[in-house]
Amino acid sequence: MSNIESLSGPQAHRTARVVLFSRPGCHLCEAARAVVEKVAAEFGEPYTEIDITLDGEHLRAYADSIPVVEVDGVQVDFWRVSEDRLRAALRR
């Protein structure tokens, strides 16, 4: 089971190794969430989902590229999230 938090602010991305930046009503975000949930569960990793509409900095940074997935603070993927790229990042 995944640990999902809706957080905002500069400390939000430090709560889990895997972070999904998304926004409500985004169909690509829904698909990315399914990938992140699946792969994070395989590795026993919780993930944090951050709604970019709750924070001006996140909105400016990610508005044109969501969904965005980061592992350990490094962007792994955006728009169409790949299971293979996420797995590779979690193995590092």
Side-chain angles (χ1 to χ4, degrees), residues 42-83:
E42 288 174 16
F43 283 81
E45 290 284 347
Y47 76 93
T48 298
E49 182 168 353
I50 298 175
D51 177 348
I52 66 167
T53 65
L54 300 177
D55 180 272
E57 282 185 49
H58 288 138
L59 188 58
R60 283 186 294 279
Y62 300 111
D64 294 330
S65 57
I66 63 154
V68 172
V69 175
E70 291 184 353
V71 173
D72 297 328
V74 177
Q75 184 174 318
V76 172
D77 229 336
F78 67 104
W79 291 339
R80 302 213 184 266
V81 177
S82 161
E83 287 184 24

